[in-house]
Amino acid sequence: MKRIIISGGGTGGHIYPAITIYKEIMAILPDAEVLYVGTEAGLEATLVPKEGIAFRTIPVQGLQRQLSLKTLTTLGKTCLSLVKANAIISDFKPDVVIGTGGYVCGPILLAAALRKVPTIIQEQNVIAGITNKILSRFVDVVAVGYEEAKKSFGKAKRVVYTGNPVRPEVLVDTREQGRNYFNLTDTDFTVLIAGGSRGARTINTAMIEVHKHFKNRENLKLIHVTGSGEFDTVKAALDGDFTQSNQADIAKELGGFTYGKATMVLPYLHDMPKALAAADLAVFRSGAIGLAELAVRGIPSVLVPYPYAAEDHQTYNARIFVQEGAAHMIVDKMLSPKDLIGEIEMFMDNSALLKQMAAGALQLGKPKAAHDIATIALEIAK
């Protein structure tokens, strides 16, 4: 029986890949014993126990870029986290340790590597995070989401291009099933707009005028997921004109509303795979996991990178999709309603380009990434 530690935290972009890799490990090796190491305050403390995975925490937080009293506190927690990580290694005795990013990975992977426990990290972005850059000097394998990311790991022992893990459920629904879920017709050109779990203010603000412009457009459906924090603002801006449409009952059931004939606005969408199955086009940020899901489904996209992401990594992620002919990119500070209206109308009128970009997206998709990472981890295990 193999004993495996998985660690990743802070954002869903680190946690969901970890959970997906965990599920692949259990599919390959059902009797494996897995422990997830995270932080008490991170999103992982909520998501991981729901999956039935054993969970332990260490007291670590990200380093501040400026020297202050808070920096000293953080350093103290980092030292304490190394002690606790070492204790977890001693107690659990893992055969392999897997990290998917976030500062929580640092102590547990470093402790494991220094004790000659096989280790692997997974880097989702084109531009590597600082934690993974440091860890790459110690771990046995670095699995990268993009071929171009190899440049960040020149001193690593072994770098493997696997692609980014994608939840299996993303590929389950057919286009017909996705469209039936939202009560869409075959002729409805469907655009999925989402800025991630917290939403994206720039996109949400621009979309208000887009909704008004397309309000009564035939054969067009806009599924706009605002994020729960932005939903009320968008709702208030749309003048309360919540016209009944074929999607009205569905929107209400999902906590949202319809606007005119063309628009459905939702605060959050738990069943995002069905929306991906239904979509002809996406307007997204360019976080690595969202892009991986667009790629495996072959969905052309208009990308608006989040400008404050660490090392501006979302812009670099988006550029790969643009280079491969899978997406168009609009810089966040330049985004306007006119831009989005123009992009949507252009794609509606250009099926040949849409088909070409869908093929480009599929070329970037790696549906077996989680399986490949799980396989490598089990191969290097003691």
Side-chain angles (χ1 to χ4, degrees):
M1 182 180 71
K2 296 294 183 186
R3 301 168 68 83
I4 300 154
I5 287 178
I6 300 177
S7 182
T11 68
H14 296 313
I15 302 161
Y16 289 118
I19 292 172
T20 303
I21 293 167
Y22 157 78
K23 289 179 178 178
E24 284 293 331
I25 287 171
M26 299 310 293
I28 297 168
L29 202 66
D31 66 345
E33 187 174 346
V34 178
L35 173 67
Y36 196 111
V37 176
T39 62
E40 199 172 69
L43 186 60
E44 64 271 21
T46 301
L47 296 178
V48 172
K50 285 182 180 178
E51 296 289 336
I53 310 170
F55 182 70
R56 290 182 66 176
T57 64
I58 54 176
V60 64
Q61 62 188 52
L63 290 172
Q64 312 300 311
R65 294 187 181 271
Q66 293 181 334
L67 187 62
S68 66
L69 185 59
K70 193 172 182 179
T71 306
L72 297 176
T73 303
T74 300
L75 287 170
K77 283 189 176 182
T78 300
C79 293
L80 180 60
S81 69
L82 283 166
V83 173
K84 189 161 185 182
N86 195 56
I88 289 172
I89 297 293
S90 296
D91 180 45
F92 189 73
K93 298 179 175 60
D95 297 300
V96 64
V97 178
I98 306 165
T100 58
Y103 49 79
V104 66
C105 290
I108 197 75
L109 278 156
L110 185 59
L114 292 175
R115 294 179 60 169
K116 307 301 180 185
V117 176
T119 47
I120 177 172
I121 56 173
Q122 198 266 324
E123 172 56 58
Q124 291 102 30
N125 297 297
V126 175
I127 302 297
I130 185 66
T131 300
N132 279 354
K133 278 184 180 178
I134 295 169
L135 289 171
S136 68
R137 297 167 178 255
F138 301 93
V139 302
D140 295 287
V141 182
V142 180
V144 294
Y146 295 95
E147 187 80 45
E148 291 76 3
K150 288 182 176 180
K151 299 171 188 174
S152 295
F153 300 110
K155 297 190 177 180
K157 297 176 188 175
R158 178 186 172 196
V159 184
V160 182
Y161 169 45
T162 58
N164 283 318
V166 173
R167 298 171 289 165
E169 53 265 37
V170 168
L171 290 164
V172 169
D173 293 299
T174 64
R175 178 177 172 82
E176 183 181 12
Q177 288 170 327
R179 295 205 151 219
N180 287 342
Y181 182 83
F182 291 101
N183 199 16
L184 304 168
T185 70
D186 289 341
T187 57
D188 285 331
F189 185 84
T190 303
V191 185
L192 174 62
I193 304 101
S197 58
R198 295 179 183 176
R201 181 163 295 174
T202 308
I203 295 174
N204 288 336
T205 301
M207 280 302 301
I208 290 165
E209 293 303 318
V210 176
H211 291 310
K212 291 178 179 178
H213 178 85
F214 288 122
K215 182 178 178 180
N216 293 309
R217 179 69 64 93
E218 299 286 348
N219 299 324
L220 172 67
K221 298 297 178 185
L222 307 175
I223 302 174
H224 180 190
V225 185
T226 64
S228 55
E230 296 268 308
F231 177 74
D232 288 341
T233 301
V234 173
K235 186 174 182 180
L238 290 176
D239 305 323
D241 186 3
F242 310 134
T243 310
Q244 291 293 308
S245 72
N246 292 340
Q247 286 72 45
D249 290 342
I250 298 164
K252 187 175 180 181
E253 186 178 325
L254 296 172
F257 62 89
T258 54
Y259 178 78
K261 295 178 180 179
T263 289
M264 177 190 295
V265 181
L266 306 172
Y268 189 77
L269 185 57
H270 291 282
D271 209 342
M272 184 62 80
K274 282 193 167 53
L276 290 166
D280 295 297
L281 177 70
V283 177
F284 266 39
R285 288 298 199 192
S286 45
I289 301 308
L291 291 183
E293 294 183 349
L294 292 178
V296 296
R297 293 271 358 175
I299 302 172
S301 54
V302 177
L303 302 176
V304 187
Y306 179 59
Y308 305 110
E311 313 297 334
D312 196 23
H313 67 255
Q314 286 207 7
T315 296
Y316 289 90
N317 292 349
R319 284 177 182 168
I320 297 299
F321 275 65
V322 173
Q323 288 167 17
E324 294 299 318
H328 290 174
M329 181 175 72
I330 302 174
V331 176
D332 185 89
K333 66 181 180 180
M334 303 296 289
L335 181 67
S336 71
K338 185 178 179 181
D339 291 328
L340 291 182
I341 290 166
E343 290 284 340
I344 292 168
E345 289 183 333
M346 184 271 295
F347 279 111
M348 286 182 72
D349 295 336
N350 198 332
S351 59
L353 176 61
L354 200 72
K355 187 175 181 180
Q356 180 183 330
M357 291 179 70
L362 280 172
Q363 286 293 317
L364 288 166
K366 293 286 185 179
K368 290 180 61 184
H371 177 82
D372 292 344
I373 294 165
T375 300
I376 294 168
L378 294 173
E379 284 174 354
I380 67 171
K382 288 194 297 185

